[in-house]
């Protein structure tokens, strides 16, 4: 595995069957981690069609983690909808990201641990208007894909250095 890509589901705080099909791991609103239908190793090859399809043209060698949240969210003016991202699921996502980075020997960098919102700008792989995540409901001063991604990477690094 070469990278970990973080998402939000644009759903409720519970993992749905659709979420389980598209992500390797889903972090529910209370921080519970749910395992998806596919193992990360299923994404070593996408030629057979048996893999978690979480990021357009960037699924091969990529682990998909989604935070179950943000149904009804609006980018501008920002509204997190009825199911805002919680600090508990962010923290659980950080811990999971660190565990997977260590397990798969994925170095933490802007090109290897990133949010879906960073994929197009960082990796140059065109996406379809994905903004997960450019805002954090529990940290309103953190704005933009890079700021959210940097916070994510910094916290994963701290977790790895414990």
């Amino acid at each position: 595995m070469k990278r970990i890509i973080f998402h939000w589901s644009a759903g409720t705080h519970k993992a749905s069957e659709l979420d389980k099909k598209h992500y390797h791991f889903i972090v529910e609103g209370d921080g519970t981690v749910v395992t998806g239908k596919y193992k990360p190793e299923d994404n070593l090859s996408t030629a057979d069609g048996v893999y978690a399809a979480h990021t357009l043209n960037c699924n091969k060698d990529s682990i998909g983690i989604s935070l179950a949240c943000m149904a009804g969210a609006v980018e501008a003016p920002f509204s997190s909808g009825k199911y805002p991202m919680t600090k508990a699921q962010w923290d659980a996502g950080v811990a999971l990201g660190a565990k997977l980075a260590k397990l798969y020997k994925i170095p933490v960098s802007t090109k290897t641990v990133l949010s879906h919102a960073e994929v197009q700008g960082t990796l140059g792989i065109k996406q379809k208007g994905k903004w997960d995540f450019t805002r954090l409901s529990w940290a309103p001063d953190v704005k933009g894909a890079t700021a959210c991604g940097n916070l994510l990477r910094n916290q994963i690094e701290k977790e790895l250095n414990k």
Side-chain angles (χ1 to χ4, degrees):
M1 303 310 302
K2 294 181 180 175
R3 72 185 65 80
I4 303 168
I5 302 174
F6 284 81
H7 307 261
W8 59 41
S9 66
T12 70
H13 283 140
K14 293 291 184 185
S16 71
E17 290 307 310
L18 186 62
D19 296 339
K20 292 175 188 176
K21 181 179 174 185
H22 288 283
Y23 306 106
H24 297 105
F25 303 96
I26 305 96
V27 183
E28 295 185 327
D30 64 359
T32 300
V33 176
V34 176
T35 302
K37 177 180 176 180
Y38 300 104
K39 299 178 303 243
E41 291 77 13
D42 290 328
N43 283 49
L44 288 171
S45 171
T46 56
D48 61 4
V50 181
Y51 64 95
H54 53 84
T55 307
L56 183 64
N57 296 318
C58 192
N59 293 300
K60 186 178 178 312
D61 299 317
S62 296
I63 299 170
I65 297 174
S66 185
L67 306 186
C69 59
M70 303 299 281
V74 177
E75 187 172 12
F78 177 66
S79 169
S80 57
K82 291 183 180 180
Y83 301 93
M85 181 189 298
T86 68
K87 183 72 164 73
Q89 70 189 151
W90 173 271
D91 291 343
V94 164
L96 176 60
K99 178 181 170 183
L100 293 169
K102 184 175 183 179
L103 178 67
Y104 291 99
K105 296 177 176 52
I106 299 170
V108 178
S109 77
T110 56
K111 293 188 178 204
T112 58
V113 176
L114 63 163
S115 74
H116 197 169
E118 294 177 286
V119 169
Q120 185 168 314
T122 303
L123 302 178
I125 301 169
K126 189 163 178 52
Q127 300 297 296
K128 294 180 179 177
K130 298 297 181 177
W131 61 287
D132 51 326
F133 26 80
T134 58
R135 299 295 295 266
L136 306 172
S137 307
W138 49 270
D141 293 339
V142 181
K143 297 177 183 175
T146 302
C148 292
N150 286 341
L151 180 62
L152 177 69
R153 286 181 287 279
N154 289 339
Q155 290 184 354
I156 288 174
E157 283 282 7
K158 284 181 186 175
E159 189 75 21
L160 286 169
N161 292 323
K162 279 186 179 178

